Amino acid sequence: MAKLDPLLNIVKCMFGLFLIPVVYAITHALVAELSGLSNTNLSYFYGGVICYLILHLFIFKPTKVYDKGKEISQEGSKAFSSFFEVAPHIFPIFSIIVFVIYFLTSLFYNNPNLLNYFLLLFSFSATLHLVLTAEEMRNVEDGKNAIINYLFSFSLIYLLNFFLIALLLSLVMKEFAFLDVAKDTFSIIKTFYSAVFGQLFG
């Protein structure tokens, strides 16, 4: 196995570099789709992101809350042993809980402000999950291959989280379409790599 480690690291490095434009693509596609929401909805969504970043950078890091979320994810994924270890990183559990509460509440309580509060809490919890996952993975990785492993692992987690976020938002807002996010993502990737391969082999 030791002989295969250098080859595995090369594959991880190449795949990690390949994923960088993909990370950009899905981020751009998600932001573009969000721009179709009303100014009020956008203010609450980005307000949640900003509120968490302020909390994280200047007040305290809610690592105990994050760890509790990981425990919930692990308990919920025990039936699927292959996902047991990675589930806490893939699934933003608090965002999913916020989504379920909002979805059920909206069935019985019709108030336009309810969506705004959902967007605030949803984006806050999603940002918490991504930032603390990135921080945890960066601290865990050690040695000469730390950057390669981090780039590869977190890029995958970032992509899966963004696709899940887009899917959940599309389920509660008519103005937001998951398929449009997916199409825009693949369109940007196709354009980028067509240009790259055109320069290399054209």
Side-chain angles (χ1 to χ4, degrees), residues 23-37 42 45-46 122 126 130 158-159 161-170 173 176-178 180-182 184-185 188:
V23 166
Y24 166 79
I26 192 170
T27 304
H28 183 279
L30 183 65
V31 171
E33 192 65 21
L34 285 169
S35 67
L37 304 182
L42 276 178
F45 184 88
Y46 287 122
F122 185 80
L130 281 170
Y158 183 96
L159 291 171
N161 271 264
F162 263 55
F163 272 119
L164 181 58
I165 288 168
L167 177 61
L168 293 178
L169 288 175
S170 70
M173 290 190 296
F176 191 97
F178 173 77
D180 287 346
V181 174
D184 288 349
T185 299
I188 294 170

Side-chain angles (χ1 to χ4, degrees), residues 1 3 20-21 32 49-50 58 60 70-71 73 80 86 97-98 103 105 107 125 141 150 152 172 193:
M1 287 297 293
K3 292 181 179 180
I20 292 176
V49 175
I50 293 169
F58 303 112
F60 80 102
K70 285 171 58 181
E71 290 177 13
S73 295
F80 307 97
V86 297
I97 291 172
V98 168
F103 182 79
T105 304
L107 296 177
S125 57
E141 296 294 350
Y150 175 75
F152 171 76
V172 294
Y193 280 108

Side-chain angles (χ1 to χ4, degrees), residues 7-194:
L7 179 60
L8 182 61
N9 288 329
I10 292 173
V11 172
K12 280 185 176 181
C13 183
M14 292 178 64
F15 196 62
L17 292 173
F18 168 82
L19 286 175
I20 292 176
V22 183
V23 166
Y24 166 79
I26 192 170
T27 304
H28 183 279
L30 183 65
V31 171
E33 192 65 21
L34 285 169
S35 67
L37 304 182
S38 70
N39 290 334
T40 302
N41 290 160
L42 276 178
S43 297
Y44 275 88
F45 184 88
Y46 287 122
V49 175
I50 293 169
C51 283
Y52 178 75
L53 292 177
I54 291 173
L55 176 71
H56 185 94
L57 293 172
F58 303 112
I59 303 175
F60 80 102
K61 300 176 182 180
T63 51
K64 290 185 178 179
V65 175
Y66 174 73
D67 290 338
K68 187 63 179 178
K70 285 171 58 181
E71 290 177 13
I72 296 171
S73 295
Q74 287 173 335
E75 288 296 322
S77 62
K78 280 185 176 180
F80 307 97
S81 57
S82 59
F83 290 101
F84 180 72
E85 293 185 1
V86 297
H89 294 140
I90 292 175
F91 300 109
I93 188 62
F94 291 116
S95 298
I96 295 172
I97 291 172
V98 168
F99 167 81
V100 171
I101 292 173
Y102 168 75
F103 182 79
L104 294 176
T105 304
S106 65
L107 296 177
F108 306 100
Y109 182 65
N110 185 18
N111 188 316
N113 288 325
L114 192 62
L115 177 60
N116 292 328
Y117 298 141
F118 160 72
L119 291 171
L120 178 73
L121 294 174
F122 185 80
S123 61
F124 181 95
S125 57
T127 307
L128 179 154
H129 177 78
L130 281 170
V131 171
L132 289 179
T133 296
E135 192 169 86
E136 180 182 72
M137 295 182 70
R138 189 175 67 247
N139 292 335
V140 167
E141 296 294 350
D142 195 13
K144 60 182 180 180
N145 298 316
I147 295 177
I148 294 173
N149 291 332
Y150 175 75
L151 179 65
F152 171 76
S153 302
F154 186 67
S155 293
L156 281 176
I157 288 170
Y158 183 96
L159 291 171
L160 291 171
N161 271 264
F162 263 55
F163 272 119
L164 181 58
I165 288 168
L167 177 61
L168 293 178
L169 288 175
S170 70
L171 293 176
V172 294
M173 290 190 296
K174 295 179 181 178
E175 305 89 344
F176 191 97
F178 173 77
L179 286 179
D180 287 346
V181 174
K183 287 177 182 178
D184 288 349
T185 299
F186 290 117
S187 176
I188 294 170
I189 295 168
K190 180 181 178 182
T191 300
F192 176 82
Y193 280 108
S194 293

